[in-house]
Amino acid sequence: AQTVTQSQPEMSVQEAETVTLSCTYDTSESDYYLFWYKQPPSRQMILVIRQEAYKQQNATENRFSVNFQKAAKSFSLKISDSQLGDAAMYFCAYNGVTKDMRFGAGTRLTVKP
Amino acid sequence: GAVVSQHPSRVICKSGTSVKIECRSLDFQATTMFWYRQFPKKSLMLMATSNEGSKATYEQGVEKDKFLINHASLTLSTLTVTSAHPEDSSFYICSATPGLITSQYFGPGTRLLVL
């Protein structure tokens, strides 16, 4: 079974600084997708960024980028120029052949003004 | 685009009653819908996967007779918590995908409190 591990329960960053959230996963599949979702206090899950495993190029969405290391099964999220609105729970997720999504335990990000 | 709604957003019920939660994809056809449960400060746990017109596939440990899932159309799935008990109190989230391996779009969630 696929597992997703987020080893950082909490992270803190100063406003305008950069922070990296870690995620590792375990799978025997060769074709899959990886995601980072944000869950603010409203609890609405918001897609931040996604990466297709077959693509070598790291995905980027404005201030959000990933470092996808397929061989190492690592998928970290970098947030640049952090803003107060970035404060939330961040979940790393895996989606493989079965289409059901497996989530990591989450990392709570605090942004200090 | 890709909006998923859930209704109700919050429900309080008495122990022993049944509660139905609706999940709708508003601007796309969802071949597959998923139901998750989230405890406070915890991650999302997949409860079941439902495909339109077929029986839902439940995760291990999830009672299918207690959590009834119906996916009657390509835009609607329902989760019915039967004979609810206080331990069923939780945050329930649905998601929908238009097909193949792609992003899931999440509903805003339903907070269930069983007294």
Side-chain angles (χ1 to χ4, degrees), chain A residues 11-13 19 21 79 86-90 107-111:
Chain A
M11 290 287 284
S12 179
V13 64
V19 65
L21 308 185
I79 306 174
D86 294 334
M89 280 291 289
Y90 286 81
T107 296
R108 181 172 300 280
L109 178 65
T110 302
V111 182

Side-chain angles (χ1 to χ4, degrees), chain B residues 9-107:
Chain B
S9 59
R10 178 177 295 191
V11 57
I12 301 173
C13 69
K14 293 182 178 180
S15 184
T17 61
S18 294
V19 175
K20 180 184 285 188
I21 303 170
E22 291 186 349
C23 177
R24 293 182 184 272
S25 56
L26 300 184
D27 51 4
F28 66 97
Q29 292 187 326
T31 55
T32 305
M33 287 185 168
F34 304 87
W35 287 95
Y36 297 86
R37 183 173 181 175
Q38 186 179 30
F39 291 103
K41 298 184 179 181
K42 296 294 184 181
S43 187
L44 281 71
M45 298 300 295
L46 179 66
M47 298 176 65
T49 302
S50 73
N51 293 294
E52 185 264 339
S54 61
K55 290 184 178 180
T57 301
Y58 290 82
E59 293 297 299
Q60 192 173 8
V62 177
E63 300 175 59
K64 62 181 181 181
D65 294 331
K66 181 164 189 62
F67 298 99
L68 300 179
I69 292 172
N70 184 281
H71 193 161
S73 76
L74 285 172
T75 59
L76 173 65
S77 177
T78 60
L79 167 67
T80 302
V81 183
T82 61
S83 187
H85 290 284
E87 57 264 31
D88 299 325
S89 299
S90 192
F91 192 67
Y92 293 89
I93 306 175
C94 74
S95 71
T97 179
L100 301 178
I101 299 176
T102 187
S103 305
Q104 289 185 21
Y105 302 100
F106 286 83

Side-chain angles (χ1 to χ4, degrees), chain A residues 54-71:
Chain A
Y54 63 85
K55 289 187 177 179
Q56 291 187 335
Q57 187 172 8
N58 290 324
T60 299
E61 288 288 341
N62 300 314
R63 298 182 295 107
F64 300 88
S65 62
V66 298
N67 183 2
F68 174 47
Q69 301 291 327
K70 190 172 184 179

